[in-house]
Each structure stands twice: as C-alpha cells, then as structure tokens.
C-alpha cells in the first residue's frame, strides 16, 4: 500500500508540475523542488515540462539522478528496472528510456501469468541522449562522454566516448581525448 501511495504521489506531482506554467522563470524552481521531494535527484537539475518518470507492472525499480542533469521537454524514463543517471547527463527533447520487456510465449497469448523481464541501465557522466532517441530494455550501459544521435534506436550497450546513430544504432566513431577537450571548452576535467 505504501508503494502504491508513493507512486500515486509521484504521478500526481508530475501531472501538476509538468505543465508549461512552471516554465516561467519565477516558477521553474517549484518544479525542481517537487521532483526533489519524490525522486532521488542531485543538485541543480534542469527539468522541463511534460517529463515523465514512471515504473510499470508493480515493479520495485528505482531511479537515481545525479547533479546538473537535463531532462528536456517530453523525456520519458521507465524505471521498472533500476536506472542510474550520473552527473552532467543530457536527455534531449522527447528521448525515451525503457527498462522492461514482455516475453513472447504461450502465456502472453492465453492471458495467463505475464512474463515481464526487468532490466537496468547506467548512464555514465556527460553522456548526451539526442532528441527522440529510444534506449531499449537490452541496453544496460551508456558510456562516459557518449553521444547518441537524434532519433537513434539503441539496442545494445554504448561504449565510452562513442558517437552512435541510426536504427538500429551503431557506432559511428569513438572520440579521442582532443575532441573531448574541445567539447568541454578546452578544460580537462
């Protein structure tokens, strides 16, 4: 019962504070406080409207979000399986993360016990998820400084410093240390 009430509170809070009214400069901090109250979120997140963080099928998944994370407009993160987002990660407009899948077997078609498999995913520091990208349940790792192109459908783990794009997403190339230095404004971190 406690879990049900907490999930109901989370969904209600997202519905109320997810409207565009809270995009106004004086009200943005109210949305941030509301998310802090019901989720484990680090310092100074940027949370835009219509963000949806949820879990399905009475799962016990958890979500942990680090410091300076961007959750842009329309981001949807399913934390049926555990989701960990480290510091400085950007989720661009409309990106989606899925952490559960329905197994196709005779139970599914006969409406008997559902076969649902939960998976977890780790987003390492400074990775960037492009607009409308989809991270599917078989993905368990998105590497540090990785970039996922807009509209990509990610079906497997993404290595550190990789640029991936396409459907299904594939590695375009791996960035070297000089590219990362330029990307970070010329400073080593």
């Amino acid at each position: 019962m406690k879990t049900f009430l907490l999930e109901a509170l989370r969904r209600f809070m997202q519905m109320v504070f997810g409207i565009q009214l809270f995009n106004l400069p004086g009200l943005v901090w109210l949305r941030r406080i509301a998310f802090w109250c019901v989720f484990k979120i680090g310092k100074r997140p940027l949370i835009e409207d219509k963000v949806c963080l949820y879990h399905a099928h009475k799962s016990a998944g958890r979500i942990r979000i680090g410091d300076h994370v961007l959750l842009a407009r329309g981001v949807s993160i399913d934390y049926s399986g555990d989701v960990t987002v480290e510091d400085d990660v950007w989720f661009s407009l409309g990106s989606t993360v899925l952490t559960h899948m329905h197994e196709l077997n005779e139970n599914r078609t006969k409406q008997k016990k559902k076969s649902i498999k939960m998976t977890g995913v780790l987003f390492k520091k400074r990775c960037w998820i492009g607009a409308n990208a989809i991270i599917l349940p078989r993905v368990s790792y998105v590497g540090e400084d990785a970039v996922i192109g807009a509209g990509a459908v990610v079906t497997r783990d993404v290595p550190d410093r990789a640029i991936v794009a396409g459907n299904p997403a594939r590695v375009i190339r791996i960035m070297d240390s000089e590219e990362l230095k330029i990307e970070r404004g010329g400073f080593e971190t």
Side-chain angles (χ1 to χ4, degrees), residues 83-94:
V83 174
T84 302
V85 179
E86 292 188 351
D87 299 342
D88 303 308
V89 174
W90 288 3
F91 290 91
S92 297
L93 177 77

Side-chain angles (χ1 to χ4, degrees), residues 79-136:
Y79 63 95
S80 297
D82 290 345
V83 174
T84 302
V85 179
E86 292 188 351
D87 299 342
D88 303 308
V89 174
W90 288 3
F91 290 91
S92 297
L93 177 77
S95 56
T96 302
V97 177
L98 301 170
T99 62
H100 78 280
M101 60 184 131
H102 299 262
E103 295 180 3
L104 298 176
N105 57 33
E106 69 278 354
N107 291 337
R108 182 177 180 271
T109 58
K110 293 179 183 174
Q111 297 298 319
K112 292 184 182 176
K113 183 180 176 190
K114 294 179 181 176
S115 297
I116 300 168
K117 182 178 179 189
M118 306 302 173
T119 61
V121 62
L122 169 63
F123 293 91
K124 294 296 284 181
K125 293 179 183 177
R126 297 178 303 276
C127 66
W128 182 2
I129 315 306
N132 297 312
I134 301 171
I135 312 297
L136 292 176

